[in-house]
Amino acid sequence: MAFYRHFWDLASSTTFTTHTVGSFDANCSSGTGTFRWVPSVANATITNIPGIRIKPTSQGTGYWIRVFEGPMNVGWFGCQNTTTTPLTFAALGIGQATLDERYGAGFATTSDIYDNTAIRYALSMMSNALGSQTLVFESKTYWVSRTCELPVSYNTGGNPRGMFIIDGQGANIRKFGENQFNYFQRIPASQTAAGGYIDNAFVFKNFKADGSGGVWQNSGYAFLYLGATYGSKIENIFLQNFDYGLRLEFCMNAHVDNIFTNNIKSYSVLLQPGSWTGGNWQTAASNGSEVSHVRVFDTIQQIAGIAVKGADTCFIRNSIIEGSNELLGPQYGILFDSLQSTVAPNVRIQDHHIEITCTKAAVYLRPKPSGRHIVDNIYVQYAQNIVACEYYNGYPDIYIANIPVYVSGCTFLNVGTGTWDFYNVRFGGSIDTVAEVIDPANNLWDTTTVTGSGIGTIPVSGKVRVVGNIIPGN
């Protein structure tokens, strides 16, 4: 066994046995490992795989392949992990011919950087039989300058379902340059393609990321833009300075948990139908999903902290919506919009602290005429609409329970017709009958004009039902 400083030096070895390597190349500190010799294989049609496989230049048989069990590591493919802005390949004197030889024609250009290229290549390997369905990062800084495409599918043993696990292990992802792009992305081109994507799930976890650089507000780009999965789990993500934090489309039965966002312009967490060709509210909904333990710190009046659109049987729970301007926060703390859904959607919005003034409502519902919409245990710190319900016809069921504190000036917004149930709710004044709940003198109903939707009204007699335990005072 011999030691070679760099992976690429292995090609010049004339000792055909197992060797160890110190790093990917002279510019990287990562990529160390043991490579065993695979003899008696004609290698004319075998290509080198950066960080994984390399063949000798002195003969036409055999190659070396990395010895590993378990997950792949991004560092195998050549990372620098600098704490300051990295240099491009061109600035480091690496030409296009070398990049084409290493990664394949056109995969990387001289304006790319090491970390981004390594991440992109590692992700491409996850769909390869020589790769792994699990990829790990390290607790280091990684720089990206363009989108990292997530794997589409992985089929082993005739089983069409796959599970990709991407674990940041505390990695910090930063942007190189001022161009805007989705950091990580997997989006089908059409609903037909989505039919093949949907059989695969992701566990995507343990990342920190900063999207600052250039004008990122209202760009439409996200840290993670994920489409057409079933049973994915996105967890332990800390994000700042993005237009979108997590943008999930046609992600059925998804679980989003323990997300912290700061300075997100449009949506911190958004689940909605697929926006690609043929994807719509009828064919590509994110049904059966759960969003939990999200902390939103709003500094720039975002659209919504958490938004779920066009989905059925969803659960949104345990969030904190707060910010630097306590009296001028996001439009919506939590938005559930099912108006265009073709099913009878149900949602439970439970156990939230709204510690900022939302300009439209702490919880805003656009429900279908049928279905059950439960808002349970909402603490609101400043005067605002606690719950707003906007619909155009029919009688959706709105169930409000366990409002622990009533802040003077808080109201409910009702646009259209519907049935409101109240249970175990604390209101100001002395409310003990259905009539008094309806009575405008109590100032519990917001009657301002809602743009494009009509005027907030007090629900007609018989459409507000005090189920029980209405508590006066604060």
Side-chain angles (χ1 to χ4, degrees):
M1 179 183 290
F3 173 77
Y4 289 84
R5 292 184 63 188
H6 307 130
F7 169 79
W8 302 102
D9 295 340
L10 268 180
S12 62
S13 176
T14 55
T15 305
F16 305 113
T17 183
T18 297
H19 299 307
T20 58
V21 164
S23 65
F24 183 77
D25 68 11
N27 296 301
C28 300
S29 59
S30 64
T32 185
T34 300
F35 291 78
R36 67 178 178 87
W37 174 250
V38 180
S40 305
V41 176
N43 61 30
T45 59
I46 293 175
T47 58
N48 292 332
I49 302 174
I52 295 287
R53 183 176 67 191
I54 191 168
K55 58 186 180 180
T57 56
S58 61
Q59 65 178 50
T61 59
Y63 57 86
W64 288 277
I65 191 165
R66 180 181 289 272
V67 177
F68 73 98
E69 293 182 0
M72 295 188 298
N73 190 306
V74 172
W76 296 349
F77 304 94
C79 292
Q80 291 188 307
N81 303 118
T82 60
T83 56
T84 57
T85 304
L87 297 175
T88 64
F89 286 126
L92 291 167
I94 300 173
Q96 190 62 51
T98 298
L99 295 174
D100 288 347
E101 181 180 1
R102 287 184 175 185
Y103 301 105
F107 183 85
T109 71
T110 56
S111 62
D112 283 323
I113 54 179
Y114 268 99
D115 293 357
N116 201 168
T117 303
I119 295 169
R120 291 174 53 239
Y121 199 86
L123 291 170
S124 73
M125 287 295 297
M126 294 184 77
S127 295
N128 189 297
L130 289 175
S132 168
Q133 286 185 267
T134 302
L135 177 67
V136 297
F137 291 64
E138 296 179 58
S139 185
K140 299 176 180 179
T141 296
Y142 296 80
W143 295 83
V144 292
S145 56
R146 58 166 157 151
T147 296
C148 300
E149 293 285 348
L150 298 175
V152 171
S153 62
Y154 190 97
N155 192 334
T156 56
N159 183 1
R161 290 203 56 79
M163 173 69 74
F164 296 106
I165 300 172
I166 300 171
D167 189 348
Q169 298 193 128
N172 183 30
I173 311 295
R174 298 188 63 183
K175 181 155 68 68
F176 173 84
E178 296 191 350
N179 291 333
Q180 307 307 324
F181 52 90
N182 297 311
Y183 278 25
F184 294 93
Q185 173 180 290
R186 177 187 184 265
I187 300 298
S190 67
Q191 187 61 18
T192 300
Y197 282 42
I198 196 72
D199 281 330
N200 293 270
F202 285 80
V203 175
F204 193 94
K205 61 184 180 180
N206 303 330
F207 284 96
K208 298 176 291 183
D210 190 339
S212 60
V215 182
W216 49 265
Q217 297 95 333
N218 300 311
S219 68
Y221 292 106
F223 168 71
L224 174 63
Y225 185 9
L226 183 63
T229 74
Y230 190 96
S232 289
K233 190 168 188 177
I234 316 299
E235 60 183 359
N236 301 336
I237 310 288
F238 289 10
L239 303 175
Q240 61 180 350
N241 304 321
F242 287 91
D243 191 34
Y244 288 68
L246 304 177
R247 181 176 178 179
L248 310 182
E249 298 186 0
F250 193 25
C251 290
M252 297 183 68
N253 199 33
H255 186 106
V256 179
D257 184 63
N258 195 29
I259 310 300
F260 177 93
T261 69
N262 183 12
N263 211 31
I264 305 296
K265 180 56 178 174
S266 292
Y267 300 92
S268 291
V269 178
L270 171 65
L271 281 82
Q272 67 178 13
S275 58
W276 46 81
T277 301
N280 53 51
W281 297 63
Q282 291 76 38
T283 63
S286 297
N287 293 334
S289 295
E290 178 176 333
V291 180
S292 62
H293 299 95
V294 176
R295 180 178 182 247
V296 174
F297 194 88
D298 178 29
T299 60
I300 49 177
Q301 299 173 35
Q302 67 180 181
I303 297 173
I306 301 169
V308 177
K309 301 181 180 182
D312 180 34
T313 319
C314 292
F315 191 9
I316 307 169
R317 63 187 180 94
N318 293 97
S319 71
I320 300 174
I321 313 291
E322 57 184 331
S324 57
N325 188 338
E326 295 169 340
L327 299 180
L328 192 59
Q331 294 180 46
Y332 315 100
I334 299 162
L335 169 65
F336 182 79
D337 183 351
S338 64
L339 266 180
Q340 300 182 58
S341 177
T342 57
V343 298
N346 300 288
V347 66
R348 180 183 291 271
I349 299 171
Q350 179 176 319
D351 301 334
H352 300 279
H353 265 225
I354 312 297
E355 300 176 9
I356 193 169
T357 302
C358 302
T359 59
K360 293 191 175 179
V363 177
Y364 202 99
L365 305 173
R366 292 193 180 105
K368 289 278 288 185
S370 53
R372 189 67 161 163
H373 305 80
I374 299 172
V375 180
D376 183 4
N377 193 26
I378 308 297
Y379 168 78
V380 175
Q381 189 166 337
Y382 298 97
Q384 59 193 289
N385 284 319
I386 300 174
V387 179
C389 191
E390 175 189 341
Y391 38 78
Y392 304 107
N393 54 65
Y395 297 93
D397 274 345
I398 312 300
Y399 183 84
I400 313 295
N402 303 312
I403 305 299
V405 174
Y406 176 78
V407 175
S408 178
C410 278
T411 52
F412 296 91
L413 174 62
N414 176 74
V415 179
T417 57
T419 301
W420 290 66
D421 290 348
F422 292 94
Y423 177 79
N424 196 26
V425 173
R426 185 180 294 274
F427 286 140
S430 56
I431 299 169
D432 55 12
T433 70
V434 174
E436 289 184 13
V437 172
I438 297 174
D439 187 346
N442 288 296
N443 298 317
L444 287 174
W445 297 98
D446 181 352
T447 57
T448 60
T449 299
V450 179
T451 303
S453 305
I455 298 175
T457 62
I458 299 168
V460 296
S461 178
K463 297 305 176 185
V464 171
R465 300 179 296 208
V466 177
V467 178
N469 200 26
I470 304 302
I471 307 167
N474 296 330

